Amino acid sequence: GKWHMGVNCKSRHDHCHHPLNHGFDYFYGMPFTLVNECQGTDDPELAKSLQDTYWLYTQMIILSVLTLLIGKLTNLLPVKWKIIITLAICGLLYFISWFSSYGFTKHWNCILMRNYDITEQPMNLEKTTSNMLKEAVSFIERSKNRPFLLFVSLLHVHTPLITTDKFLGRSRHGLYGDNVEEMDWMVGRLLDVIDKEGLKNTTFIYFASDHGGSLEAHRGNTQLGGWNGIYKGGKGMGGWEGGIRVPGIVRWPGMLPAGKIINELTSLMDIFPTVVHLAGGAVPQDSRVIDGHTLLPLLQGTAQHSGHEFMFHYCGVFLHAVRWHQKDSGAIWKAHYATPVFQPEASGACFGRGICPCFGDGVTHHDPPLLFDLSQDPSEANPLSADIEPLFDTVTRRISKAVEEHRRTLTPVPEQLSPYNNIWKPWLQPCCGTFPFCWCDEENNTA
């Protein structure tokens, strides 16, 4: 399914970010993400968020190059030609990135790969659902006689809400509902194969989402990004519950009781130690801090509480909020250090920007932090203060101490979402033909 971690680092074929270089033995899916451009829609998604940035950098670099060039030719600035040429090349790349965002995104970024090979460029969205399902079923059938890990990251319930004709109009909730219906059918097909192959009682299945509904995803008055119920905020917001609080469903007949509801907060980072536990292994015991905790004690009833006393909620590299599950009282406190500036102000989303930013003038910083008692106020509607909450100072000090301890465990790494890393680099572009003519359909044996 959707990998969304990229492919290459230094050359078109180094595949440094590819799943096969990060522990997986087989891959079929999108190395990038699903955007409206993949459907050829008139409502661009990637372009909308990047065009202004690309154009700004293009103008800044062109102005700099012209200034340096005039200074060089008039002997006012002792600058080397190498610097001017390098800067001019950067400006050209930003210009190409800006220009290509108006139409080339589909042909260059909407691709399907099998292992290291591109099978479709651009991908045929009408067949993607059946292709993904066929690959997953085939993997289960050929792996049934040995332990296996199958990670299916569906393209569904994500704009542009690709839905086959069979499911269009099936739901009372428009295109989003239709897409949910088809996703449910796909999950059902996978469960049927598990049962058919006699793997039902020996297969641990975990179904979850990576974030809440996208409030900014809409077409006209139609909401395309889902609904977050009583929870504030949505996708792309690092702190508000609507962006990060999602349900998880576990299935393991014979090992876990059916119908059990566990109201404890866990994390998708818990999948790693849980899988290691199931496989009979042990997580690394070196100096690295493993943030996840195995879910099995909680699921099997041998533990009553999640292993997470504190949870740290980031937007990009910026810490926006911290949650404290106070074990002795059962209270769940959450402190917000930064919150997005909604546009319009009372809308609860960033419609003006398309997605809420993580820093700069797009966020409001809070000192002291906004504090909520989630056990009493899950909608985060009523921030507490020292005047109305006797424990305000005690709680904020304890959370602040936890942040200090947490930050000591972090090792800085290069920023993957920096402007340089977001610029289009032709020498890294995956291409199944002769660049820039990247078109192929290996699924149907045509090129």
Side-chain angles (χ1 to χ4, degrees), residues 311-322 336-338 365 403 406-407:
M311 298 182 82
F312 304 91
H313 303 301
Y314 282 80
C315 184
V317 298
F318 301 94
L319 180 67
H320 273 209
V322 180
H336 288 261
Y337 293 98
H365 294 276
V403 171
H406 163 69
R407 283 184 168 146

Side-chain angles (χ1 to χ4, degrees), residues 300-442:
Q300 293 171 335
T302 57
Q304 299 305 310
H305 295 291
S306 163
H308 297 278
E309 181 179 6
F310 293 93
M311 298 182 82
F312 304 91
H313 303 301
Y314 282 80
C315 184
V317 298
F318 301 94
L319 180 67
H320 273 209
V322 180
R323 182 190 314 263
W324 179 25
H325 191 172
Q326 200 172 354
K327 298 292 188 237
D328 51 354
S329 71
I332 303 175
W333 307 96
K334 193 159 100 184
H336 288 261
Y337 293 98
T339 53
V341 177
F342 294 142
Q343 295 176 328
E345 187 175 344
S347 65
C350 299
F351 293 109
R353 295 177 182 263
I355 188 170
C356 289
C358 298
F359 62 96
D361 61 359
V363 302
T364 301
H365 294 276
H366 304 282
D367 186 14
L370 289 181
L371 184 67
F372 297 93
D373 181 356
L374 294 182
S375 56
Q376 302 296 323
D377 181 23
S379 299
E380 300 175 283
N382 304 300
L384 304 172
S385 66
D387 296 333
I388 60 176
E389 175 52 65
L391 295 175
F392 183 88
D393 290 333
T394 302
V395 171
T396 53
R397 278 197 303 268
R398 180 65 189 93
I399 292 177
S400 178
K401 182 182 178 183
V403 171
E404 291 177 14
E405 295 169 352
H406 163 69
R407 283 184 168 146
R408 284 198 291 268
T409 71
L410 302 179
T411 301
V413 296
E415 172 58 69
Q416 294 298 306
L417 297 176
S418 65
Y420 175 76
N421 282 330
N422 271 293
I423 189 175
W424 177 66
K425 304 179 183 70
W427 57 91
L428 298 183
Q429 176 66 51
C431 182
C432 63
T434 302
F435 182 81
F437 306 104
C438 305
W439 284 274
C440 66
D441 184 2
E442 296 298 333

Side-chain angles (χ1 to χ4, degrees), residues 154-158 161-164 167-168 170-188 207 224-227:
L154 297 169
L155 302 183
H156 279 59
V157 198
H158 188 295
L161 297 174
I162 301 161
T163 308
T164 59
F167 285 90
L168 287 175
R170 285 274 291 266
S171 166
R172 292 179 298 167
H173 302 285
L175 183 57
Y176 183 89
D178 296 344
N179 206 244
V180 171
E181 294 266 1
E182 185 164 50
M183 177 187 68
D184 182 58
W185 171 78
M186 292 176 72
V187 172
F207 177 86
L224 300 177
W227 180 63

Side-chain angles (χ1 to χ4, degrees), residues 225-243:
W227 180 63
N228 296 321
I230 65 170
Y231 302 114
K232 190 172 185 176
K235 175 184 176 179
M237 303 181 205
W240 294 120
E241 291 291 276

Side-chain angles (χ1 to χ4, degrees), residues 1-7 27 29-39 45-46 49-50 105-106 108-112 123 125 132 153-160 162 210-211 235:
K2 184 176 70 170
W3 175 242
H4 201 174
M5 300 292 283
V7 183
F27 171 66
M30 287 191 76
F32 306 125
T33 190
L34 189 63
V35 290
N36 290 341
E37 286 90 334
C38 294
Q39 200 175 35
E45 182 177 353
L46 188 66
S49 62
L50 292 178
T105 299
K106 176 177 181 178
W108 284 340
N109 291 338
C110 301
I111 64 177
L112 277 179
M123 59 196 290
L125 295 184
M132 294 282 185
S153 181
L154 297 169
L155 302 183
H156 279 59
V157 198
H158 188 295
T159 54
I162 301 161
D210 52 346
H211 51 67
K235 175 184 176 179

